[in-house]
Amino acid sequence: LRTQCQTVVSVFDVPGNVAEFLEEILEISSLEIFGASLAGGRENAFALLLRYVVHLHNFSKILLQDLRLAEDASAVYFDEISQKNLEVFEAQYENSQKFTLLGILDRTATASGSRLLRAWLAEPTRNLEILRDRQKLISHFLENLEFAKKLEKFLGAAPDFLRVSSLILYRNARPVLFFKLLNFFEKFFAVENHDFLANLWAFLAERGCGEEFREKFKKFVEILESVFPEDFALDAQEFVVQRGFR
């Protein structure tokens, strides 16, 4: 890419009036519609690129569907066409994830984990610190397989917390959802899991989630416990818990 860019720069000059050139070739009224994507000198580089494309393919006009600014300098730009050609999320011969890179790699235990893996594949990082931190985490779990298996088991039984929080935020959550949350946490804090919880809190503390996070976590469970009467049953689908929604 660097060689190609050097070739372009050595053969073509930036148009004299960049804004006028881009507005004409893209058939737009103003560059302002692209916002920060074509600001700070980026419009010159874009004009130079389009001038090369126009010369190469003898285009008179270019239909631009989308133009986005990749603000994360540590992320590798990975456009949708490249993702499709490499079958990262969708196989070319069938609309399925089964034989894609995501389908092969995704052995996550939770919906949130699956979404995170997808995000990592969609925007690969080139930040060595982040990559080494991920490798360190993998090594930690490989060295503590028993802890890793218990964590996988508990998280696999957990609700989709991102979806749950969204439902609560927009007040679309039914009371039974709160009860299922409470039921999960009660099992989570069971006495027989004391050693596992000690290891979990120690692990989270190393990740920057210290005592404050732990207290907020327990406070959330206390709120759930205060919402429901002791005789509340899971099949009471229509039970309205006013305090829970407030």
Side-chain angles (χ1 to χ4, degrees):
L1 179 60
R2 183 178 296 128
T3 303
Q4 291 177 346
C5 288
Q6 289 173 347
T7 302
V8 173
V9 173
S10 65
V11 175
F12 296 95
D13 294 323
V14 175
N17 190 323
V18 171
E20 184 178 307
F21 170 78
L22 290 175
E23 289 167 4
E24 180 181 354
I25 199 72
L26 298 175
E27 293 187 311
I28 57 176
S29 58
S30 172
L31 293 184
E32 292 181 359
I33 64 174
F34 296 118
S37 297
L38 289 183
R42 285 184 285 271
E43 67 277 14
N44 295 333
F46 189 57
L48 185 61
L49 176 63
L50 289 192
R51 196 167 195 178
Y52 173 68
V53 172
V54 167
H55 169 79
L56 189 66
H57 298 285
N58 197 27
F59 291 152
S60 58
K61 304 292 180 183
I62 294 178
L63 176 61
L64 187 65
Q65 294 182 328
D66 189 22
L67 184 64
R68 287 172 290 177
L69 175 63
E71 298 187 53
D72 187 358
S74 67
V76 177
Y77 180 68
F78 198 18
D79 62 272
E80 294 178 2
I81 295 177
S82 298
Q83 293 173 8
K84 186 175 182 179
N85 290 338
L86 294 174
E87 299 184 307
V88 178
F89 303 117
E90 182 180 332
Q92 293 188 9
Y93 59 90
E94 62 175 48
N95 294 325
S96 170
Q97 289 187 2
K98 183 177 180 181
F99 300 107
T100 63
L101 179 61
L102 178 63
I104 294 171
L105 294 179
D106 192 355
R107 297 295 180 267
T108 53
T110 67
S112 296
S114 183
R115 285 192 292 266
L116 180 60
L117 177 60
R118 186 183 184 91
W120 284 357
L121 292 177
E123 292 188 5
T125 183
R126 55 186 174 188
N127 186 312
L128 287 178
E129 184 177 346
I130 293 176
L131 292 172
R132 286 167 179 161
D133 184 60
R134 292 177 185 173
Q135 291 175 340
K136 183 180 178 180
L137 278 174
I138 293 172
S139 297
H140 175 83
F141 288 128
L142 288 175
E143 293 169 2
N144 299 272
L145 281 178
E146 184 178 353
F147 169 71
K149 289 178 180 179
K150 287 186 177 181
L151 182 61
E152 180 182 17
K153 179 181 178 180
F154 273 96
L155 291 179
D160 185 346
F161 289 110
L162 191 62
R163 179 175 176 274
V164 168
S165 60
S166 177
L167 289 173
I168 294 174
L169 178 64
Y170 293 102
R171 295 175 177 251
N172 291 324
R174 297 175 66 85
V176 69
L177 179 62
F178 291 95
F179 184 80
K180 288 181 178 179
L181 274 175
L182 178 58
N183 187 49
F184 167 76
F185 286 123
E186 284 180 342
K187 292 180 179 178
F188 187 79
F189 285 108
V191 177
E192 59 267 24
N193 295 322
H194 179 74
D195 292 339
F196 167 71
L197 286 177
N199 291 331
L200 177 60
W201 293 128
F203 170 74
L204 291 175
E206 291 178 1
R207 305 295 302 164
C209 302
E211 190 64 28
E212 184 179 355
F213 170 80
R214 183 174 178 175
E215 291 305 316
K216 287 182 178 179
F217 195 78
K218 289 186 176 181
K219 182 66 176 177
F220 177 67
V221 177
E222 291 175 3
I223 292 174
L224 285 175
E225 290 175 337
S226 69
V227 167
F228 295 96
E230 293 182 0
D231 59 347
F232 180 76
L234 186 59
D235 58 357
Q237 297 282 345
E238 302 305 321
F239 183 82
V240 178
V241 188
Q242 296 294 342
R243 285 176 295 169
F245 286 98
R246 289 175 185 161

